[in-house]
Amino acid sequence: MTETQDNLEVADDKPAPAIHVAPSPHLQDTSLTTRRMMIDVLIGLAPLMVAAVIVFRMAAVLQVAVCVFACMLTELVFTTMRRKPFSLADCSAIVTGIILAFSLPWNSPWHVTIIGAVTGIGLGKVIFGGLGFNIFNPAMVGRAFVMLAFSAALAAPAFVDNSVEHLTPIFKVFGVNADVITSATPMTAYKEQGMFTNWFRLFLGNTNGCIGETSALACILGGLYLCIRKVASWEIPVGSIIAVTIIAGIMAGVGKNVNIISQHLLGGAFLFGAFFIATDPVTSPLTAKGKFIFGLAFGALVMFIREYSGYPEGVMFSVLLVNGIAPLINRWTVPKPFGGPVPARK
């Protein structure tokens, strides 16, 4: 037996190398990890946190702290029950907790906040398999549950002369106070009384409402940062803004009141939802065309719910509805391969 034959026999005894075949592109940006994306989202949420602290002071801090802690603890418990590896390093539970807290009123009772966190993380995320497998936005799942189960507890109070009509015990202990002086949220006043809030107040955020929805300026600043960093796809907020502007413009023309446009664009949680919730890469479409259609559908649903339902705000339900049709939008917008479709085998 020759030396060459010996080498071949030895080589045949070794296990064959594993060859992984995957579709292009094969070059990836390894710096854009889940943790990096979540940190960018936290940076984008920073202007909203600053605005919330200015308006709601310590109440905003306490609400966010309770919600983030509950989300982290819930993920630990549920992943342990499913015998899955647990790690807070990706910061996804922290982001979910902050977004959920920002979608709640500043005086939400602590037990309602915790229930929302448990529902969002447990039933909206971990039960589907964890990060990347959830069908619906976890924060909105938790928000929807507590909204339907504790609607009276989530009604925003009226602030009068730096005092609050009612405070939950946790806020009384810390001596929480707030500066906003108003009788209702802008969207509630518009829905129930036909009153318009000054556009400049809506833009700056000197209004009552949920923690993260008061300042349109803060939402725009944070949202633009996410789009520039390519963490959020610009097609979604652009599509939703176009839809709301067109529908509100038609309504303004019919009612001959241009304030309708600024009320719907700057009021409520629309901008917060368009930049920070609807752009969730897990629950939104994959293609650029699909993302734009997704944004158009989101904006149209927000307007439909605001105008034709009993709710003054429509962001939460709109997000959940478009999350449900995201797979269908993906199917509609599959791009054609270069060179045309693959010919069928005869």
Side-chain angles (χ1 to χ4, degrees):
M1 185 178 294
T2 63
E3 183 179 353
T4 304
Q5 289 176 327
D6 290 339
N7 291 337
L8 288 174
E9 288 183 1
V10 172
D12 290 339
D13 293 337
K14 294 181 180 180
I19 300 176
H20 299 280
V21 180
S24 61
H26 300 289
L27 296 178
Q28 298 181 359
D29 184 4
T30 57
S31 64
L32 190 60
T33 61
T34 300
R35 175 183 170 83
R36 178 66 255 180
M37 292 176 64
M38 294 300 162
I39 291 176
D40 280 334
V41 175
L42 292 176
I43 296 173
L45 289 168
L48 283 74
M49 190 68 212
V50 172
V53 171
I54 292 174
V55 176
F56 302 109
R57 296 192 177 182
M58 195 62 185
V61 178
L62 290 174
Q63 192 68 265
V64 171
V66 170
C67 202
V68 169
F69 177 77
C71 284
M72 294 168 62
L73 183 61
T74 301
E75 185 155 324
L76 171 62
V77 172
F78 271 76
T79 51
T80 302
M81 291 171 59
R82 297 185 71 246
R83 297 179 180 179
K84 298 290 183 179
F86 172 75
S87 174
L88 293 176
D90 60 12
C91 300
S92 61
I94 298 174
V95 169
T96 299
I98 295 177
I99 291 178
L100 175 59
F102 280 6
S103 67
L104 296 172
W106 67 271
N107 70 318
S108 173
W110 64 270
H111 63 278
V112 174
T113 302
I114 292 176
I115 291 173
V118 172
T119 305
I121 293 292
L123 301 183
K125 177 183 175 183
V126 180
I127 201 171
F128 285 101
L131 182 65
F133 296 95
N134 50 289
I135 301 174
F136 302 99
N137 185 282
M140 292 299 98
V141 172
R143 177 67 167 85
F145 180 80
V146 296
M147 179 65 193
L148 297 175
F150 306 98
S151 56
L154 295 183
F159 304 148
V160 182
D161 297 331
N162 263 4
S163 62
V164 185
E165 291 181 356
H166 60 279
L167 286 167
T168 53
I170 188 172
F171 297 123
K172 290 180 180 179
V173 170
F174 286 91
V176 169
N177 209 334
D179 288 338
V180 179
I181 302 174
T182 184
S183 59
T185 64
M187 300 313 299
T188 301
Y190 169 73
K191 181 74 174 181
E192 297 180 355
Q193 305 171 20
M195 296 176 57
F196 294 98
T197 305
N198 179 271
W199 73 268
F200 194 64
R201 289 187 62 199
L202 293 174
F203 183 72
L204 290 182
N206 187 26
T207 58
N208 193 6
C210 295
I211 294 176
E213 71 178 32
T214 58
S215 175
L217 174 61
C219 292
I220 293 171
L221 291 176
L224 289 177
Y225 172 80
L226 295 185
C227 292
I228 292 172
R229 291 285 299 171
K230 297 183 179 181
V231 174
S233 299
W234 63 268
E235 294 92 345
I236 295 176
V238 168
S240 56
I241 290 173
I242 289 174
V244 170
T245 302
I246 291 175
I247 298 174
I250 295 173
M251 293 169 53
V254 174
K256 297 181 180 180
N257 194 331
V258 72
N259 290 322
I260 295 177
I261 301 176
S262 62
Q263 187 76 23
H264 283 290
L265 279 177
L266 304 179
F270 169 67
L271 290 177
F272 177 54
F275 281 109
F276 293 95
I277 304 176
T279 53
D280 176 15
V282 177
T283 56
S284 59
L286 301 174
T287 64
K289 184 188 298 184
K291 292 172 183 177
F292 186 71
I293 296 173
F294 184 86
L296 289 174
F298 168 69
L301 284 170
V302 168
M303 293 299 298
F304 182 82
I305 294 174
R306 284 180 174 182
E307 290 298 322
Y308 297 105
S309 76
Y311 293 96
E313 183 59 82
V315 170
M316 174 186 65
F317 292 117
S318 299
V319 167
L320 294 175
L321 287 172
V322 293
N323 285 164
I325 65 172
L328 184 60
I329 295 176
N330 279 329
R331 184 180 293 270
W332 286 343
T333 58
V334 174
K336 294 182 179 179
F338 181 76
V342 179
R345 292 184 178 179
K346 295 182 181 180

